[in-house]
Structure formats: C-alpha cells, structure tokens
Amino acid sequence: MPDISLTMIVLLCLAALAAGWIDAVVGGGGLLLLPVLLLALPSHTPAAHALGTNKAVAIVGTTGAAVTYARKAPVDVRTAVRIGLAALAGSSAGAFFAAGMSTDVLKPVIMVVLLGVAAFVILRPAFGTAPAAGPATRRQILAAIGLAGLGIGFYDGLIGPGTGTFLVLSLTAVLHLDLVTASATAKIVNCCTNAGALATFAWQGAVLWQLAALMAVFNLAGGTLGAHTALKQGSGFVRIVLLTVVFALVGNMAYEQWLA
C-alpha cells in the first residue's frame, strides 16, 4: 500500500463507487477514477501504476455490471464475446506502450477525447434512442470487431479512461443498438479489454494490489447499482447522464490544468 492519507483513501473509495455507477450506465468511469488516482498517489509514482491499479479496480465493477445486464437485457453474448476477444488483443498491445507515458500527457488527451464525445452526442439528439431493426449483418459485426474491438481495445490499454463510453458510442453507431443494449454489450467487451490490459500491467509489476482490492469492493457495488438504474430508466436517461458526466469532468480537468 503506498503512503496515502486516510482522507485520500476515503476519497478513492467514494470515487470508485461513483465510477462504478457511471461506468455501468454510460461507460467512462475511468474518467473519474483515474484523475483521482493521479491526485491521490505520491507524485513520484509512475503513471503506469495509476493505470494498472485503475484496471484492477475497474474489471471488478465491470464484471458485476455485465452479469446484471446479461440477465435482463437483450444482449447478443456471442457477438459481444467475439468483439471482446479482439479488444483483449488490442488492449494488451496498448498496455505495452503505456509504461513510458508521462502523467502530464494524460490529462490533455483525456480532455480532448471528452469534448469529442460531447459534441457527437449533442449533434445527434436521436442517437441511440431506437432499438435495432434486426440482427446485425456480418459486415456490421466485422466493423464492430475492428473498431470497438481492436481500435478501442488498443486505446483502453494505452490510456483507458472513456473506453466504456467509446464502446457504447461505437456499438450504437455500427450495430444500430439502443443505448441501453449498447451499454450492456459494452460491459462484456470491456471485461475483455480490462483483462488484457490488467494482465500486461500485472506482468510489469504496475498494479498496487492492496489499494485496488479495497477500491474494487466499492466499484462492484456502484457497477451493479448502475446497471439496475440504466435498465429501469432507459436510453433517454443514459444520454442525459452521459452528457452530464462529460461536461462535469471537462470543467474539473480544465480547472486543474490551467487555473489551480
């Protein structure tokens, strides 16, 4: 366990709880959890340790949300697993490149990514509100494997935050799913990306296991609750939460980057 104050440990547990809920509803819980980890860990801690610990926490909450969704949402598990296997390979590759990444590079990249997500959702108000007209075609599945699997999987291993959100957006766009079904499918895929990246970070010794185990309990509770909330409230609620989370995080990170 790194030298962290009790106040910071409590903050990290609360952040893990909130991130689990956010991740289950719209994805992108790491956009909350990773900045808090970067703030709480001692300044000399390599960025890879924050990334690896984030993965160890996130995989627990994501798995809990995936199980909840799979029981109650119309998820094509076979397609989700195929995309997930590609994502596992992509995230493992991305994690190899993350070891030498500076913490100073992470925050501006995350902010740009967030703004891109917000602009897309605002400009497409009907995005993800209608269910799929029928089963996905072979071409759509292959496109999803390439984009949501290999592409976003690589991003997940390299940087991580926002992966769940990007998976929801890409699966909605490529497979024409509604946002709730896309969120459910994304959780299964995200389990694979987290597993691939976590295996790489663990092999590199870049996971703070004791801290991750404590935070994972709270993340699991948040993930399970978030999945139940999304299933109950529907796609309109998911869209509102998505935009709220994105703008709140952009504002907070911009303040820390240039005004604090």
Side-chain angles (χ1 to χ4, degrees):
M1 179 78 79
D3 185 18
I4 305 175
S5 68
L6 179 60
T7 301
M8 280 297 182
I9 291 176
V10 172
L11 177 62
L12 284 169
C13 290
L14 292 175
L17 178 69
W21 188 89
I22 293 168
D23 203 46
V25 176
V26 294
L31 289 166
L32 170 63
L33 193 54
L34 183 58
V36 176
L37 272 168
L38 292 170
L39 173 67
L41 293 175
S43 57
H44 58 78
T45 305
H49 284 68
L51 292 165
T53 303
N54 177 56
K55 288 300 169 197
V57 174
I59 194 170
V60 177
T62 300
T63 301
V67 171
T68 302
Y69 274 126
R71 288 175 176 173
K72 298 184 178 181
V75 184
D76 185 343
V77 176
R78 183 168 178 268
T79 297
V81 170
R82 290 165 70 183
I83 298 171
L85 291 175
L88 190 152
S91 64
S92 299
F96 276 107
F97 290 90
M101 181 172 288
S102 169
T103 302
D104 296 334
V105 176
L106 290 176
K107 290 183 179 179
V109 170
I110 293 171
M111 288 174 62
V112 171
V113 165
L114 277 169
L115 289 172
V117 169
F120 182 85
V121 174
I122 290 172
L123 293 173
R124 298 287 299 275
F127 183 76
T129 59
T137 65
R138 184 173 182 273
R139 180 176 295 181
Q140 288 175 322
I141 292 173
L142 289 174
I145 290 173
L147 176 60
L150 293 174
I152 297 177
F154 182 83
Y155 167 83
D156 189 36
L158 182 65
I159 300 176
T163 296
T165 305
F166 295 137
L167 284 172
V168 171
L169 291 170
S170 63
L171 291 170
T172 303
V174 176
L175 299 180
H176 303 299
L177 304 175
D178 65 87
L179 285 172
V180 172
T181 305
S183 292
T185 306
K187 291 307 103 188
I188 297 174
V189 176
N190 214 177
C191 284
C192 296
T193 65
N194 283 338
L198 177 59
T200 302
F201 284 123
W203 178 71
Q204 295 172 341
V207 180
L208 304 172
W209 290 108
Q210 288 180 304
L211 179 61
L214 176 62
M215 294 169 64
V217 175
F218 291 85
N219 195 251
L220 175 61
T224 304
L225 178 61
H228 281 294
T229 304
L231 287 165
K232 182 178 180 180
Q233 299 297 329
S235 294
F237 173 78
V238 172
R239 185 175 185 275
I240 293 171
V241 173
L242 174 62
L243 288 173
T244 301
V245 168
V246 166
F247 283 118
L249 288 170
V250 168
N252 180 65
M253 295 188 73
Y255 174 80
E256 291 180 354
Q257 187 76 13
W258 293 300
L259 300 177

